[in-house]
């Protein structure tokens, strides 16, 4: 199965900062079928990005996804207070679909 | 607006079968993949499998021998059955479909 490794584990930033999250795959992700999710405590994951770079419906344009092959990045251009959460990448190009272990973006 | 809602017992005894249902509103379950996931503090998010009306099912090999996911088109629901459960199957279970719409999740504890 494809192993996804996210870095860093924790990102301590202030509102207004730029956040850059990385997701590296153990093998090429088919069709760049890589998604990014945001999860807050007690809530289900919320889809932000699919197919590496397409924003899901209703997602603000401060969220952007880039990358291809095995290296992917989620960028939040200016952090808003509601953005602080755990972020997961998921590949759905090859079964079994797999997730990274998550990056926590916390308030500095 | 598409919405998903999980339902089922919150407590299951070891060796028994965990059964959950996901009720879908706003779209027919005859389109799209419909998946089950679970989340634990130790293993994080795990995909269990999906069902697609036109193609059937696809399961994570980690669950292959114990899992069944099925559709009930008359009720616009899909279900998860996981048999021979142990304490390690205690988790928050989520249903998901229609390209990224998730239910709120349901906590299932396996305990006698």
């Amino acid at each position: 199965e494809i192993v996804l490794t996210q870095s860093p584990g924790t990102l301590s930033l202030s509102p207004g900062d730029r956040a850059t999250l990385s997701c590296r795959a153990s093998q090429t992700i088919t069709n760049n079928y890589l998604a990014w999710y945001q999860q807050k405590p007690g809530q289900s994951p919320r889809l932000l990005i699919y197919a590496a770079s397409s924003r899901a419906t209703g997602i603000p344009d401060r969220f952007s996804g880039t990358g291809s092959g095995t290296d992917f990045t989620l960028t939040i251009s200016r952090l808003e207070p509601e953005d602080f959460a755990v972020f997961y990448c998921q590949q759905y190009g090859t079964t079994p679909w797999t997730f990274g272990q998550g990056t926590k973006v916390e308030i500095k | 607006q598409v919405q998903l809602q999980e339902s089922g017992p919150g407590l299951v005894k070891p060796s028994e079968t965990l059964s959950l249902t996901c009720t879908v509103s706003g779209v027919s379950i005859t389109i799209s993949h419909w998946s089950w996931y679970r989340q634990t503090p130790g293993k994080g998010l795990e995909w269990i499998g999906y069902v697609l009306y036109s193609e059937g099912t696809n399961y994570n090999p980690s669950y292959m021998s114990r899992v069944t996911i099925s559709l009930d088109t008359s009720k616009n629901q899909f279900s998860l059955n996981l048999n021979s459960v142990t304490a390690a199957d205690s988790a928050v279970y989520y249903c998901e479909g229609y390209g990224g719409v998730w239910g709120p999740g349901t906590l299932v504890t396996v305990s006698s």
Side-chain angles (χ1 to χ4, degrees):
Chain A
E1 70 178 45
I2 295 177
V3 176
L4 299 179
T5 302
Q6 291 186 241
S7 60
T10 303
L11 209 44
S12 298
L13 297 168
S14 301
D17 286 349
R18 180 183 187 88
T20 304
L21 288 66
S22 173
C23 177
R24 178 162 290 177
S26 59
Q27 56 189 279
T28 297
I29 295 177
T30 301
N31 296 326
N32 292 324
Y33 281 169
L34 190 286
W36 288 95
Y37 288 91
Q38 177 191 51
Q39 188 177 33
K40 297 179 181 178
Q43 296 185 15
S44 54
R46 173 196 182 199
L47 179 66
L48 301 173
I49 302 288
Y50 63 94
S53 60
S54 297
R55 264 188 304 276
T57 303
I59 301 303
D61 60 8
R62 64 180 181 272
F63 292 93
S64 63
T66 58
S68 64
T70 61
D71 288 295
F72 299 86
T73 300
L74 173 70
T75 302
I76 310 170
S77 58
R78 285 180 55 87
L79 283 163
E80 297 287 339
E82 64 268 25
D83 296 339
F84 292 89
V86 180
F87 294 82
Y88 296 97
C89 57
Q90 179 207 20
Q91 68 81 21
Y92 56 101
T94 302
T95 57
W97 298 348
T98 51
F99 289 85
Q101 81 280 16
T103 290
K104 182 179 183 180
V105 179
E106 64 177 22
I107 300 176
K108 188 174 182 179
Chain B
Q1 178 188 0
V2 178
Q3 293 185 311
L4 282 67
Q5 178 68 55
E6 304 89 353
S7 59
L11 182 64
V12 181
K13 289 183 168 52
S15 80
E16 295 190 344
T17 297
L18 181 161
S19 296
L20 296 175
T21 296
C22 183
T23 300
V24 179
S25 59
V27 68
S28 169
I29 60 167
T30 59
I31 64 173
S32 186
H33 296 84
W34 303 97
S35 290
W36 286 97
Y37 296 86
R38 73 184 192 183
Q39 186 172 30
T40 60
K43 286 193 159 187
L45 282 160
E46 297 179 280
W47 171 73
I48 299 170
Y50 71 67
V51 60
L52 180 59
Y53 179 74
S54 57
E55 294 184 8
T57 54
N58 194 318
Y59 299 134
N60 187 325
S62 296
Y63 304 93
M64 188 79 78
S65 61
R66 300 195 291 137
V67 68
T68 304
I69 298 175
S70 58
L71 290 170
D72 184 339
T73 56
S74 67
K75 296 180 180 178
N76 219 44
Q77 297 174 334
F78 64 107
S79 298
L80 168 71
N81 281 322
L82 185 67
N83 58 39
S84 305
V85 297
T86 69
D89 293 308
S90 297
V92 177
Y93 285 78
Y94 296 100
C95 57
E96 179 270 342
Y98 201 61
V101 180
W102 290 59
T106 186
L107 175 64
V108 178
T109 302
V110 178
S111 175
S112 55

